[in-house]
Amino acid sequence: MAIERTFSMIKPDATKRNLTGAIVKMFEDNGLRVVASKRVWMSRRQAEGFYAVHKDRPFFGELVDFMCSGPTVVQVLEGENAIAKNREIMGATNPADAAEGTIRKLFAESIGENSVHGSDAPETAAEEIRYWFAETEIVG
Ligand code: RTP
Ligand code: MG
């Protein structure tokens, strides 16, 4: 299977509770490697741009407010089948539906404040990585 890259974010509810290391350990323990990482407190403009695909959803305003409410850790994860593997490690969007042992089951507070983001397809992964990182910042 080919080595793939995906984009991951540790959201403000998790950074506030000092869970960055615990979450990164779950990625590493499951065969993903952090090849780029930085901590950002995003502006409204950055959050609105990143989540533009959701701009007509009823939760958009709430989502942007939340993403600007504290620091986030943006990352590129690399590994076999990284996109699907990352989403498996994260668990379902709503922690109430997330499988045992997943990040969202363990740590997420609600469907909105759900600790992590992960790209859902190769095209969105490439686009999201490009949104936050220059090629020179990614070291495999
Ligand atoms: P993500 O994009 O963050 O990895 O999560 P996802 O694919 O599992 O969920 P998605 O449907 O893409 O939604 C993006 C983020 O919006 C927030 N959300 N809030 N209040 C609500 O009903 C609601 N639904 C979604 C979550 O933070 C979700 O991760
Ligand atoms: Mg999504």
Side-chain angles (χ1 to χ4, degrees):
M1 189 168 291
I3 297 292
E4 210 172 49
R5 283 179 178 174
T6 191
F7 176 75
S8 158
M9 260 178 353
I10 302 175
K11 296 184 179 182
D13 67 285
T15 62
K16 276 182 188 159
R17 287 175 289 149
N18 210 19
L19 293 169
T20 299
I23 289 173
V24 170
K25 181 162 166 45
M26 289 180 68
F27 296 140
E28 292 181 341
D29 286 349
N30 285 282
L32 296 177
R33 180 178 296 271
V34 178
V35 295
S37 180
K38 61 190 174 193
R39 192 168 159 100
V40 296
W41 193 317
M42 63 178 80
S43 65
R44 289 198 75 78
R45 195 156 161 242
Q46 282 176 309
E48 285 167 357
F50 181 75
Y51 280 117
V53 59
H54 294 311
K55 69 177 176 349
D56 297 325
R57 308 278 288 276
F59 58 80
F60 183 66
E62 207 178 289
L63 175 61
V64 170
D65 287 343
F66 165 57
M67 293 308 296
C68 299
S69 70
T72 290
V73 179
V74 293
Q75 298 184 294
V76 180
L77 304 178
E78 186 178 84
E80 271 182 22
N81 212 10
I83 296 168
K85 188 179 280 179
N86 181 36
R87 289 185 72 87
E88 204 179 297
I89 300 164
M90 292 195 303
T93 309
N94 187 346
D97 303 328
E100 289 300 329
T102 61
I103 292 171
R104 284 165 167 167
K105 180 69 174 187
L106 285 166
F107 301 130
E109 304 197 295
S110 64
I111 189 170
E113 306 203 1
N114 59 1
S115 304
V116 280
H117 161 84
S119 308
D120 56 16
E123 301 71 37
T124 47
E127 198 179 304
E128 292 173 359
I129 289 170
R130 227 180 309 116
Y131 191 85
W132 292 105
F133 292 99
E135 201 48 54
T136 51
E137 292 178 298
I138 304 168
V139 183

